[in-house]
Amino acid sequence: MKKDLKNLVIAIDGPAGAGKTTVAKALASRLEIPYFSTGAMYRALALKCLRSGKNPENKDDAEQIAKSAKLSLKYANGKQSVILDGEDVTDMLYSDQISVGASQISVHKYVREKMVDIQRQVANQQNVIMDGRDIGSVVLPMAKYKFYLDADVNVRAKRRYDELLSKGSQISFEEVLQDMKERDFRDKNRDISPLIVCDDAVVIDSTNLSVEQVVDEFISKIK
Ligand code: DC
């Protein structure tokens, strides 16, 4: 399905594990435009922070990391890559520790401003599907289509748990659930650009839907 591709900007926000990136990928393939998962950028900063022995919750540490990080997003052959200081770190970003660190480092003003700048530059150059927490509200408020993808927290935690298990993680379901609840709280209650449902967003609940059903729901709204 190829749409009129002029100025096609699609913003997808929602809590962790709702399926945003999976849907963004599938839509990107159906619409033949790139997707960018902005959480990967905060994850890359968390990786740099933890590698440097710094604390993502500490404002000065977080700023120093964000200032010194050379971060870029690439999209090729249906896959997004994150380049951090010249290194492709894409496959190092999805542990539970990095998920928590990304949520912690993302509360800081300087960090957010720098990431938003890069994200806007990426979206200015092309049609995109971008997912995150503040895409419809802050990064791309003029997006033609805005979605808020949600799901029950137990279902989201189970999806993330299965994903971590398949990668050989030893973490328990209870830990994943607890981390996800804390992450939800932090992402929704931080002072700067918290996760909100925009007035003009279409809300889709993926709790009882398969990936295909969710993608079909999205496609039906993109006219
Ligand atoms: O989407 P994700 O799970 O990869 O995001 C990881 C963390 O990054 C998330 O808990 C909060 C932060 N984040 C953000 O603050 N703003 C975004 N646009 C994307 C992610």
Side-chain angles (χ1 to χ4, degrees), residues 13-17 20-21 37-40 42-43 93-94 98-104 106-107 112 119 131-135 139 160 183-184 186-187 190 193:
D13 290 300
K20 300 182 298 296
T21 304
S37 189
T38 59
Y42 294 95
R43 288 171 179 274
L93 302 178
Y94 292 93
I98 297 287
S99 298
V100 173
S103 174
Q104 290 169 335
S106 69
V107 305
R112 298 209 70 82
Q119 290 154 15
D131 81 69
R133 302 291 184 288
D134 59 344
I135 308 305
V139 182
R160 189 50 54 89
R183 209 140 73 87
D184 280 358
R186 205 180 299 109
D187 295 350
R190 66 185 174 215
S193 332

PDB file of all heavy atoms in Angstrom, residues 13-17 20-21 37-40 42-43 93-94 98-104 106-107 112 119 131-135 139 160 183-184 186-187 190 193, ligand 1:
ATOM      1  N   ASP A  13       2.776   7.640  20.098  1.00  0.00           N
ATOM      2  CA  ASP A  13       3.223   7.699  21.487  1.00  0.00           C
ATOM      3  C   ASP A  13       2.514   6.626  22.292  1.00  0.00           C
ATOM      4  O   ASP A  13       1.499   6.064  21.866  1.00  0.00           O
ATOM      5  CB  ASP A  13       2.912   9.091  22.074  1.00  0.00           C
ATOM      6  CG  ASP A  13       3.809  10.165  21.457  1.00  0.00           C
ATOM      7  OD1 ASP A  13       5.036  10.041  21.603  1.00  0.00           O
ATOM      8  OD2 ASP A  13       3.278  11.106  20.833  1.00  0.00           O
ATOM      9  N   GLY A  14       3.055   6.381  23.488  1.00  0.00           N
ATOM     10  CA  GLY A  14       2.423   5.400  24.366  1.00  0.00           C
ATOM     11  C   GLY A  14       3.433   4.864  25.350  1.00  0.00           C
ATOM     12  O   GLY A  14       4.638   5.129  25.232  1.00  0.00           O
ATOM     13  N   PRO A  15       2.953   4.110  26.335  1.00  0.00           N
ATOM     14  CA  PRO A  15       3.851   3.580  27.367  1.00  0.00           C
ATOM     15  C   PRO A  15       4.715   2.430  26.854  1.00  0.00           C
ATOM     16  O   PRO A  15       4.479   1.903  25.760  1.00  0.00           O
ATOM     17  CB  PRO A  15       2.886   3.100  28.451  1.00  0.00           C
ATOM     18  CG  PRO A  15       1.643   2.754  27.699  1.00  0.00           C
ATOM     19  CD  PRO A  15       1.553   3.712  26.551  1.00  0.00           C
ATOM     20  N   ALA A  16       5.687   2.053  27.644  1.00  0.00           N
ATOM     21  CA  ALA A  16       6.602   0.959  27.298  1.00  0.00           C
ATOM     22  C   ALA A  16       5.824  -0.327  27.052  1.00  0.00           C
ATOM     23  O   ALA A  16       4.883  -0.644  27.783  1.00  0.00           O
ATOM     24  CB  ALA A  16       7.591   0.746  28.441  1.00  0.00           C
ATOM     25  N   GLY A  17       6.227  -1.046  26.032  1.00  0.00           N
ATOM     26  CA  GLY A  17       5.659  -2.379  25.799  1.00  0.00           C
ATOM     27  C   GLY A  17       4.286  -2.381  25.144  1.00  0.00           C
ATOM     28  O   GLY A  17       3.673  -3.436  24.988  1.00  0.00           O
ATOM     29  N   LYS A  20       4.617  -0.043  20.200  1.00  0.00           N
ATOM     30  CA  LYS A  20       4.829   1.096  19.285  1.00  0.00           C
ATOM     31  C   LYS A  20       5.849   0.783  18.187  1.00  0.00           C
ATOM     32  O   LYS A  20       5.605   1.024  17.014  1.00  0.00           O
ATOM     33  CB  LYS A  20       5.333   2.337  20.058  1.00  0.00           C
ATOM     34  CG  LYS A  20       4.395   2.841  21.131  1.00  0.00           C
ATOM     35  CD  LYS A  20       4.932   4.091  21.802  1.00  0.00           C
ATOM     36  CE  LYS A  20       6.259   3.908  22.522  1.00  0.00           C
ATOM     37  NZ  LYS A  20       6.230   2.976  23.657  1.00  0.00           N
ATOM     38  N   THR A  21       6.992   0.255  18.611  1.00  0.00           N
ATOM     39  CA  THR A  21       8.048   0.037  17.624  1.00  0.00           C
ATOM     40  C   THR A  21       7.673  -1.073  16.650  1.00  0.00           C
ATOM     41  O   THR A  21       7.936  -0.974  15.447  1.00  0.00           O
ATOM     42  CB  THR A  21       9.385  -0.255  18.339  1.00  0.00           C
ATOM     43  OG1 THR A  21       9.657   0.835  19.219  1.00  0.00           O
ATOM     44  CG2 THR A  21      10.533  -0.384  17.346  1.00  0.00           C
ATOM     45  N   SER A  37      12.524   5.067  16.013  1.00  0.00           N
ATOM     46  CA  SER A  37      12.065   4.797  17.363  1.00  0.00           C
ATOM     47  C   SER A  37      12.935   5.637  18.300  1.00  0.00           C
ATOM     48  O   SER A  37      14.095   5.327  18.521  1.00  0.00           O
ATOM     49  CB  SER A  37      12.270   3.303  17.612  1.00  0.00           C
ATOM     50  OG  SER A  37      11.660   2.953  18.788  1.00  0.00           O
ATOM     51  N   THR A  38      12.354   6.745  18.805  1.00  0.00           N
ATOM     52  CA  THR A  38      13.189   7.719  19.518  1.00  0.00           C
ATOM     53  C   THR A  38      13.681   7.206  20.866  1.00  0.00           C
ATOM     54  O   THR A  38      14.671   7.706  21.395  1.00  0.00           O
ATOM     55  CB  THR A  38      12.429   9.046  19.712  1.00  0.00           C
ATOM     56  OG1 THR A  38      11.237   8.774  20.461  1.00  0.00           O
ATOM     57  CG2 THR A  38      12.080   9.681  18.388  1.00  0.00           C
ATOM     58  N   GLY A  39      12.997   6.212  21.419  1.00  0.00           N
ATOM     59  CA  GLY A  39      13.466   5.627  22.681  1.00  0.00           C
ATOM     60  C   GLY A  39      14.891   5.102  22.546  1.00  0.00           C
ATOM     61  O   GLY A  39      15.675   5.117  23.508  1.00  0.00           O
ATOM     62  N   ALA A  40      15.239   4.666  21.331  1.00  0.00           N
ATOM     63  CA  ALA A  40      16.583   4.126  21.102  1.00  0.00           C
ATOM     64  C   ALA A  40      17.656   5.182  21.375  1.00  0.00           C
ATOM     65  O   ALA A  40      18.772   4.852  21.792  1.00  0.00           O
ATOM     66  CB  ALA A  40      16.694   3.614  19.664  1.00  0.00           C
ATOM     67  N   TYR A  42      17.447   7.676  23.682  1.00  0.00           N
ATOM     68  CA  TYR A  42      17.604   7.794  25.147  1.00  0.00           C
ATOM     69  C   TYR A  42      18.315   6.541  25.677  1.00  0.00           C
ATOM     70  O   TYR A  42      19.091   6.612  26.628  1.00  0.00           O
ATOM     71  CB  TYR A  42      16.234   7.989  25.809  1.00  0.00           C
ATOM     72  CG  TYR A  42      15.604   9.313  25.432  1.00  0.00           C
ATOM     73  CD1 TYR A  42      14.701   9.401  24.381  1.00  0.00           C
ATOM     74  CD2 TYR A  42      15.942  10.484  26.097  1.00  0.00           C
ATOM     75  CE1 TYR A  42      14.136  10.613  24.014  1.00  0.00           C
ATOM     76  CE2 TYR A  42      15.390  11.705  25.738  1.00  0.00           C
ATOM     77  CZ  TYR A  42      14.485  11.767  24.694  1.00  0.00           C
ATOM     78  OH  TYR A  42      13.938  12.979  24.330  1.00  0.00           O
ATOM     79  N   ARG A  43      18.044   5.421  25.042  1.00  0.00           N
ATOM     80  CA  ARG A  43      18.718   4.173  25.441  1.00  0.00           C
ATOM     81  C   ARG A  43      20.225   4.271  25.176  1.00  0.00           C
ATOM     82  O   ARG A  43      21.041   3.826  25.975  1.00  0.00           O
ATOM     83  CB  ARG A  43      18.120   2.983  24.673  1.00  0.00           C
ATOM     84  CG  ARG A  43      16.739   2.623  25.141  1.00  0.00           C
ATOM     85  CD  ARG A  43      16.061   1.590  24.257  1.00  0.00           C
ATOM     86  NE  ARG A  43      14.740   1.260  24.763  1.00  0.00           N
ATOM     87  CZ  ARG A  43      14.484   0.345  25.674  1.00  0.00           C
ATOM     88  NH1 ARG A  43      15.455  -0.407  26.149  1.00  0.00           N
ATOM     89  NH2 ARG A  43      13.259   0.134  26.102  1.00  0.00           N
ATOM     90  N   LEU A  93      20.907  -2.182  23.118  1.00  0.00           N
ATOM     91  CA  LEU A  93      20.058  -1.203  23.794  1.00  0.00           C
ATOM     92  C   LEU A  93      18.834  -1.767  24.510  1.00  0.00           C
ATOM     93  O   LEU A  93      18.073  -1.008  25.101  1.00  0.00           O
ATOM     94  CB  LEU A  93      19.584  -0.156  22.772  1.00  0.00           C
ATOM     95  CG  LEU A  93      20.693   0.602  22.044  1.00  0.00           C
ATOM     96  CD1 LEU A  93      20.095   1.573  21.032  1.00  0.00           C
ATOM     97  CD2 LEU A  93      21.567   1.350  23.038  1.00  0.00           C
ATOM     98  N   TYR A  94      18.604  -3.074  24.446  1.00  0.00           N
ATOM     99  CA  TYR A  94      17.301  -3.553  24.913  1.00  0.00           C
ATOM    100  C   TYR A  94      17.315  -4.415  26.164  1.00  0.00           C
ATOM    101  O   TYR A  94      16.384  -5.174  26.404  1.00  0.00           O
ATOM    102  CB  TYR A  94      16.521  -4.168  23.732  1.00  0.00           C
ATOM    103  CG  TYR A  94      16.168  -3.042  22.782  1.00  0.00           C
ATOM    104  CD1 TYR A  94      16.997  -2.712  21.711  1.00  0.00           C
ATOM    105  CD2 TYR A  94      15.089  -2.213  23.045  1.00  0.00           C
ATOM    106  CE1 TYR A  94      16.731  -1.611  20.907  1.00  0.00           C
ATOM    107  CE2 TYR A  94      14.811  -1.114  22.246  1.00  0.00           C
ATOM    108  CZ  TYR A  94      15.637  -0.810  21.177  1.00  0.00           C
ATOM    109  OH  TYR A  94      15.370   0.290  20.409  1.00  0.00           O
ATOM    110  N   ILE A  98      19.156  -1.064  30.697  1.00  0.00           N
ATOM    111  CA  ILE A  98      19.167   0.094  29.791  1.00  0.00           C
ATOM    112  C   ILE A  98      17.773   0.727  29.720  1.00  0.00           C
ATOM    113  O   ILE A  98      17.645   1.956  29.649  1.00  0.00           O
ATOM    114  CB  ILE A  98      19.652  -0.309  28.372  1.00  0.00           C
ATOM    115  CG1 ILE A  98      21.104  -0.808  28.413  1.00  0.00           C
ATOM    116  CG2 ILE A  98      19.498   0.830  27.377  1.00  0.00           C
ATOM    117  CD1 ILE A  98      22.159   0.260  28.613  1.00  0.00           C
ATOM    118  N   SER A  99      16.717  -0.105  29.780  1.00  0.00           N
ATOM    119  CA  SER A  99      15.351   0.453  29.767  1.00  0.00           C
ATOM    120  C   SER A  99      15.153   1.393  30.944  1.00  0.00           C
ATOM    121  O   SER A  99      14.625   2.504  30.797  1.00  0.00           O
ATOM    122  CB  SER A  99      14.300  -0.667  29.871  1.00  0.00           C
ATOM    123  OG  SER A  99      14.390  -1.537  28.785  1.00  0.00           O
ATOM    124  N   VAL A 100      15.582   0.951  32.115  1.00  0.00           N
ATOM    125  CA  VAL A 100      15.428   1.775  33.324  1.00  0.00           C
ATOM    126  C   VAL A 100      16.296   3.036  33.196  1.00  0.00           C
ATOM    127  O   VAL A 100      15.837   4.154  33.445  1.00  0.00           O
ATOM    128  CB  VAL A 100      15.806   0.959  34.590  1.00  0.00           C
ATOM    129  CG1 VAL A 100      15.819   1.851  35.820  1.00  0.00           C
ATOM    130  CG2 VAL A 100      14.832  -0.201  34.780  1.00  0.00           C
ATOM    131  N   GLY A 101      17.547   2.857  32.767  1.00  0.00           N
ATOM    132  CA  GLY A 101      18.467   3.996  32.621  1.00  0.00           C
ATOM    133  C   GLY A 101      17.950   5.028  31.625  1.00  0.00           C
ATOM    134  O   GLY A 101      18.084   6.239  31.833  1.00  0.00           O
ATOM    135  N   ALA A 102      17.328   4.557  30.527  1.00  0.00           N
ATOM    136  CA  ALA A 102      16.803   5.476  29.505  1.00  0.00           C
ATOM    137  C   ALA A 102      15.676   6.322  30.090  1.00  0.00           C
ATOM    138  O   ALA A 102      15.594   7.529  29.858  1.00  0.00           O
ATOM    139  CB  ALA A 102      16.303   4.681  28.301  1.00  0.00           C
ATOM    140  N   SER A 103      14.821   5.677  30.864  1.00  0.00           N
ATOM    141  CA  SER A 103      13.722   6.413  31.477  1.00  0.00           C
ATOM    142  C   SER A 103      14.267   7.439  32.475  1.00  0.00           C
ATOM    143  O   SER A 103      13.757   8.559  32.583  1.00  0.00           O
ATOM    144  CB  SER A 103      12.773   5.410  32.149  1.00  0.00           C
ATOM    145  OG  SER A 103      11.778   6.064  32.869  1.00  0.00           O
ATOM    146  N   GLN A 104      15.333   7.062  33.186  1.00  0.00           N
ATOM    147  CA  GLN A 104      15.915   7.982  34.177  1.00  0.00           C
ATOM    148  C   GLN A 104      16.604   9.166  33.499  1.00  0.00           C
ATOM    149  O   GLN A 104      16.430  10.313  33.903  1.00  0.00           O
ATOM    150  CB  GLN A 104      16.923   7.228  35.058  1.00  0.00           C
ATOM    151  CG  GLN A 104      16.243   6.230  35.993  1.00  0.00           C
ATOM    152  CD  GLN A 104      17.226   5.298  36.686  1.00  0.00           C
ATOM    153  OE1 GLN A 104      18.328   5.049  36.194  1.00  0.00           O
ATOM    154  NE2 GLN A 104      16.814   4.768  37.822  1.00  0.00           N
ATOM    155  N   SER A 106      16.069  10.419  30.655  1.00  0.00           N
ATOM    156  CA  SER A 106      15.190  11.224  29.803  1.00  0.00           C
ATOM    157  C   SER A 106      14.414  12.300  30.559  1.00  0.00           C
ATOM    158  O   SER A 106      13.703  13.084  29.943  1.00  0.00           O
ATOM    159  CB  SER A 106      14.210  10.321  29.047  1.00  0.00           C
ATOM    160  OG  SER A 106      13.284   9.768  29.951  1.00  0.00           O
ATOM    161  N   VAL A 107      14.545  12.355  31.876  1.00  0.00           N
ATOM    162  CA  VAL A 107      13.787  13.392  32.613  1.00  0.00           C
ATOM    163  C   VAL A 107      14.495  14.749  32.542  1.00  0.00           C
ATOM    164  O   VAL A 107      13.898  15.774  32.846  1.00  0.00           O
ATOM    165  CB  VAL A 107      13.563  13.033  34.116  1.00  0.00           C
ATOM    166  CG1 VAL A 107      12.901  11.673  34.254  1.00  0.00           C
ATOM    167  CG2 VAL A 107      14.855  13.081  34.919  1.00  0.00           C
ATOM    168  N   ARG A 112      16.656  16.237  26.920  1.00  0.00           N
ATOM    169  CA  ARG A 112      15.479  16.227  26.050  1.00  0.00           C
ATOM    170  C   ARG A 112      15.638  17.219  24.895  1.00  0.00           C
ATOM    171  O   ARG A 112      15.323  16.915  23.753  1.00  0.00           O
ATOM    172  CB  ARG A 112      14.202  16.557  26.842  1.00  0.00           C
ATOM    173  CG  ARG A 112      13.873  15.577  27.928  1.00  0.00           C
ATOM    174  CD  ARG A 112      12.378  15.520  28.174  1.00  0.00           C
ATOM    175  NE  ARG A 112      11.706  14.900  27.055  1.00  0.00           N
ATOM    176  CZ  ARG A 112      11.602  13.582  26.866  1.00  0.00           C
ATOM    177  NH1 ARG A 112      12.093  12.752  27.748  1.00  0.00           N
ATOM    178  NH2 ARG A 112      10.992  13.107  25.811  1.00  0.00           N
ATOM    179  N   GLN A 119      15.739  14.764  16.513  1.00  0.00           N
ATOM    180  CA  GLN A 119      14.535  14.110  15.977  1.00  0.00           C
ATOM    181  C   GLN A 119      13.831  15.005  14.953  1.00  0.00           C
ATOM    182  O   GLN A 119      13.370  14.543  13.913  1.00  0.00           O
ATOM    183  CB  GLN A 119      13.588  13.765  17.140  1.00  0.00           C
ATOM    184  CG  GLN A 119      14.142  12.643  18.010  1.00  0.00           C
ATOM    185  CD  GLN A 119      13.625  12.667  19.438  1.00  0.00           C
ATOM    186  OE1 GLN A 119      12.653  13.338  19.765  1.00  0.00           O
ATOM    187  NE2 GLN A 119      14.280  11.930  20.311  1.00  0.00           N
ATOM    188  N   ASP A 131       8.194   7.029  16.752  1.00  0.00           N
ATOM    189  CA  ASP A 131       7.514   6.647  17.990  1.00  0.00           C
ATOM    190  C   ASP A 131       8.317   7.059  19.212  1.00  0.00           C
ATOM    191  O   ASP A 131       9.529   7.218  19.142  1.00  0.00           O
ATOM    192  CB  ASP A 131       7.168   5.151  17.987  1.00  0.00           C
ATOM    193  CG  ASP A 131       8.318   4.237  18.375  1.00  0.00           C
ATOM    194  OD1 ASP A 131       8.722   4.256  19.547  1.00  0.00           O
ATOM    195  OD2 ASP A 131       8.801   3.489  17.501  1.00  0.00           O
ATOM    196  N   GLY A 132       7.571   7.289  20.306  1.00  0.00           N
ATOM    197  CA  GLY A 132       8.219   7.722  21.541  1.00  0.00           C
ATOM    198  C   GLY A 132       7.212   8.047  22.618  1.00  0.00           C
ATOM    199  O   GLY A 132       6.201   7.337  22.769  1.00  0.00           O
ATOM    200  N   ARG A 133       7.499   9.132  23.380  1.00  0.00           N
ATOM    201  CA  ARG A 133       6.593   9.533  24.461  1.00  0.00           C
ATOM    202  C   ARG A 133       6.029  10.940  24.246  1.00  0.00           C
ATOM    203  O   ARG A 133       4.995  11.283  24.781  1.00  0.00           O
ATOM    204  CB  ARG A 133       7.330   9.539  25.818  1.00  0.00           C
ATOM    205  CG  ARG A 133       7.960   8.235  26.234  1.00  0.00           C
ATOM    206  CD  ARG A 133       6.908   7.196  26.574  1.00  0.00           C
ATOM    207  NE  ARG A 133       7.516   5.949  27.067  1.00  0.00           N
ATOM    208  CZ  ARG A 133       8.172   5.078  26.333  1.00  0.00           C
ATOM    209  NH1 ARG A 133       8.301   5.279  25.028  1.00  0.00           N
ATOM    210  NH2 ARG A 133       8.678   3.976  26.871  1.00  0.00           N
ATOM    211  N   ASP A 134       6.786  11.761  23.482  1.00  0.00           N
ATOM    212  CA  ASP A 134       6.434  13.174  23.314  1.00  0.00           C
ATOM    213  C   ASP A 134       6.400  13.563  21.843  1.00  0.00           C
ATOM    214  O   ASP A 134       6.608  14.720  21.506  1.00  0.00           O
ATOM    215  CB  ASP A 134       7.477  14.042  24.038  1.00  0.00           C
ATOM    216  CG  ASP A 134       8.892  13.796  23.491  1.00  0.00           C
ATOM    217  OD1 ASP A 134       9.099  12.768  22.804  1.00  0.00           O
ATOM    218  OD2 ASP A 134       9.778  14.632  23.736  1.00  0.00           O
ATOM    219  N   ILE A 135       6.164  12.608  20.970  1.00  0.00           N
ATOM    220  CA  ILE A 135       6.271  12.905  19.536  1.00  0.00           C
ATOM    221  C   ILE A 135       5.100  13.789  19.088  1.00  0.00           C
ATOM    222  O   ILE A 135       5.316  14.841  18.483  1.00  0.00           O
ATOM    223  CB  ILE A 135       6.336  11.602  18.684  1.00  0.00           C
ATOM    224  CG1 ILE A 135       7.437  10.662  19.202  1.00  0.00           C
ATOM    225  CG2 ILE A 135       6.578  11.946  17.204  1.00  0.00           C
ATOM    226  CD1 ILE A 135       8.811  11.259  19.293  1.00  0.00           C
ATOM    227  N   VAL A 139       7.648  16.943  19.853  1.00  0.00           N
ATOM    228  CA  VAL A 139       8.611  16.827  18.748  1.00  0.00           C
ATOM    229  C   VAL A 139       7.961  17.220  17.423  1.00  0.00           C
ATOM    230  O   VAL A 139       8.492  18.062  16.692  1.00  0.00           O
ATOM    231  CB  VAL A 139       9.195  15.389  18.659  1.00  0.00           C
ATOM    232  CG1 VAL A 139      10.221  15.294  17.536  1.00  0.00           C
ATOM    233  CG2 VAL A 139       9.816  14.977  19.985  1.00  0.00           C
ATOM    234  N   ARG A 160       7.321  -7.818  27.211  1.00  0.00           N
ATOM    235  CA  ARG A 160       8.722  -7.455  27.415  1.00  0.00           C
ATOM    236  C   ARG A 160       9.496  -8.615  28.052  1.00  0.00           C
ATOM    237  O   ARG A 160      10.630  -8.905  27.693  1.00  0.00           O
ATOM    238  CB  ARG A 160       8.789  -6.188  28.295  1.00  0.00           C
ATOM    239  CG  ARG A 160      10.139  -5.540  28.441  1.00  0.00           C
ATOM    240  CD  ARG A 160      10.873  -5.273  27.136  1.00  0.00           C
ATOM    241  NE  ARG A 160      10.167  -4.507  26.127  1.00  0.00           N
ATOM    242  CZ  ARG A 160      10.176  -3.183  26.021  1.00  0.00           C
ATOM    243  NH1 ARG A 160      10.831  -2.459  26.862  1.00  0.00           N
ATOM    244  NH2 ARG A 160       9.536  -2.584  25.039  1.00  0.00           N
ATOM    245  N   ARG A 183       8.653   2.785  35.435  1.00  0.00           N
ATOM    246  CA  ARG A 183       8.952   3.513  34.212  1.00  0.00           C
ATOM    247  C   ARG A 183       7.717   4.302  33.762  1.00  0.00           C
ATOM    248  O   ARG A 183       7.811   5.476  33.414  1.00  0.00           O
ATOM    249  CB  ARG A 183       9.367   2.525  33.131  1.00  0.00           C
ATOM    250  CG  ARG A 183      10.309   3.075  32.116  1.00  0.00           C
ATOM    251  CD  ARG A 183      11.350   2.074  31.747  1.00  0.00           C
ATOM    252  NE  ARG A 183      10.926   0.976  30.920  1.00  0.00           N
ATOM    253  CZ  ARG A 183      10.899   1.006  29.586  1.00  0.00           C
ATOM    254  NH1 ARG A 183      11.157   2.116  28.933  1.00  0.00           N
ATOM    255  NH2 ARG A 183      10.610  -0.075  28.903  1.00  0.00           N
ATOM    256  N   ASP A 184       6.552   3.645  33.800  1.00  0.00           N
ATOM    257  CA  ASP A 184       5.287   4.321  33.447  1.00  0.00           C
ATOM    258  C   ASP A 184       5.125   5.560  34.305  1.00  0.00           C
ATOM    259  O   ASP A 184       4.801   6.637  33.810  1.00  0.00           O
ATOM    260  CB  ASP A 184       4.078   3.413  33.757  1.00  0.00           C
ATOM    261  CG  ASP A 184       3.837   2.373  32.683  1.00  0.00           C
ATOM    262  OD1 ASP A 184       4.565   2.367  31.669  1.00  0.00           O
ATOM    263  OD2 ASP A 184       2.918   1.547  32.869  1.00  0.00           O
ATOM    264  N   ARG A 186       7.374   7.316  35.988  1.00  0.00           N
ATOM    265  CA  ARG A 186       8.373   8.356  35.691  1.00  0.00           C
ATOM    266  C   ARG A 186       8.051   9.042  34.356  1.00  0.00           C
ATOM    267  O   ARG A 186       8.069  10.261  34.257  1.00  0.00           O
ATOM    268  CB  ARG A 186       9.765   7.716  35.649  1.00  0.00           C
ATOM    269  CG  ARG A 186      10.882   8.696  35.962  1.00  0.00           C
ATOM    270  CD  ARG A 186      12.242   8.050  35.904  1.00  0.00           C
ATOM    271  NE  ARG A 186      12.448   6.978  36.831  1.00  0.00           N
ATOM    272  CZ  ARG A 186      12.531   5.675  36.497  1.00  0.00           C
ATOM    273  NH1 ARG A 186      12.430   5.281  35.265  1.00  0.00           N
ATOM    274  NH2 ARG A 186      12.731   4.767  37.421  1.00  0.00           N
ATOM    275  N   ASP A 187       7.749   8.241  33.329  1.00  0.00           N
ATOM    276  CA  ASP A 187       7.501   8.805  31.991  1.00  0.00           C
ATOM    277  C   ASP A 187       6.245   9.693  31.963  1.00  0.00           C
ATOM    278  O   ASP A 187       6.178  10.663  31.210  1.00  0.00           O
ATOM    279  CB  ASP A 187       7.361   7.689  30.935  1.00  0.00           C
ATOM    280  CG  ASP A 187       8.666   6.895  30.742  1.00  0.00           C
ATOM    281  OD1 ASP A 187       9.718   7.320  31.264  1.00  0.00           O
ATOM    282  OD2 ASP A 187       8.621   5.833  30.079  1.00  0.00           O
ATOM    283  N   ARG A 190       7.009  13.085  34.835  1.00  0.00           N
ATOM    284  CA  ARG A 190       8.169  13.977  34.856  1.00  0.00           C
ATOM    285  C   ARG A 190       7.703  15.413  34.524  1.00  0.00           C
ATOM    286  O   ARG A 190       6.647  15.600  33.899  1.00  0.00           O
ATOM    287  CB  ARG A 190       9.238  13.477  33.889  1.00  0.00           C
ATOM    288  CG  ARG A 190       8.811  13.551  32.469  1.00  0.00           C
ATOM    289  CD  ARG A 190       9.841  12.927  31.537  1.00  0.00           C
ATOM    290  NE  ARG A 190       9.328  12.893  30.188  1.00  0.00           N
ATOM    291  CZ  ARG A 190       9.558  11.931  29.310  1.00  0.00           C
ATOM    292  NH1 ARG A 190      10.317  10.895  29.628  1.00  0.00           N
ATOM    293  NH2 ARG A 190       9.046  11.996  28.106  1.00  0.00           N
ATOM    294  N   SER A 193       7.920  17.472  29.238  1.00  0.00           N
ATOM    295  CA  SER A 193       7.337  16.601  28.213  1.00  0.00           C
ATOM    296  C   SER A 193       6.940  15.217  28.716  1.00  0.00           C
ATOM    297  O   SER A 193       7.421  14.204  28.194  1.00  0.00           O
ATOM    298  CB  SER A 193       8.288  16.395  27.039  1.00  0.00           C
ATOM    299  OG  SER A 193       9.150  17.436  26.836  1.00  0.00           O
TER     300      SER A 193
HETATM  301  O1   DC B   1      10.275   3.574  23.804  1.00  0.00           O
HETATM  302  P1   DC B   1      11.401   2.996  24.700  1.00  0.00           P
HETATM  303  O2   DC B   1      10.891   1.971  25.677  1.00  0.00           O
HETATM  304  O3   DC B   1      12.542   2.481  23.896  1.00  0.00           O
HETATM  305  O4   DC B   1      11.921   4.261  25.550  1.00  0.00           O
HETATM  306  C1   DC B   1      12.882   4.146  26.562  1.00  0.00           C
HETATM  307  C2   DC B   1      12.746   5.330  27.514  1.00  0.00           C
HETATM  308  O5   DC B   1      13.144   6.524  26.858  1.00  0.00           O
HETATM  309  C3   DC B   1      11.335   5.598  28.031  1.00  0.00           C
HETATM  310  O6   DC B   1      11.086   4.901  29.240  1.00  0.00           O
HETATM  311  C4   DC B   1      11.296   7.087  28.215  1.00  0.00           C
HETATM  312  C5   DC B   1      12.324   7.613  27.255  1.00  0.00           C
HETATM  313  N1   DC B   1      11.735   8.240  26.068  1.00  0.00           N
HETATM  314  C6   DC B   1      11.335   9.549  26.171  1.00  0.00           C
HETATM  315  O7   DC B   1      11.398  10.122  27.247  1.00  0.00           O
HETATM  316  N2   DC B   1      10.876  10.197  25.077  1.00  0.00           N
HETATM  317  C7   DC B   1      10.781   9.577  23.893  1.00  0.00           C
HETATM  318  N3   DC B   1      10.338  10.246  22.835  1.00  0.00           N
HETATM  319  C8   DC B   1      11.158   8.216  23.779  1.00  0.00           C
HETATM  320  C9   DC B   1      11.618   7.558  24.898  1.00  0.00           C
END
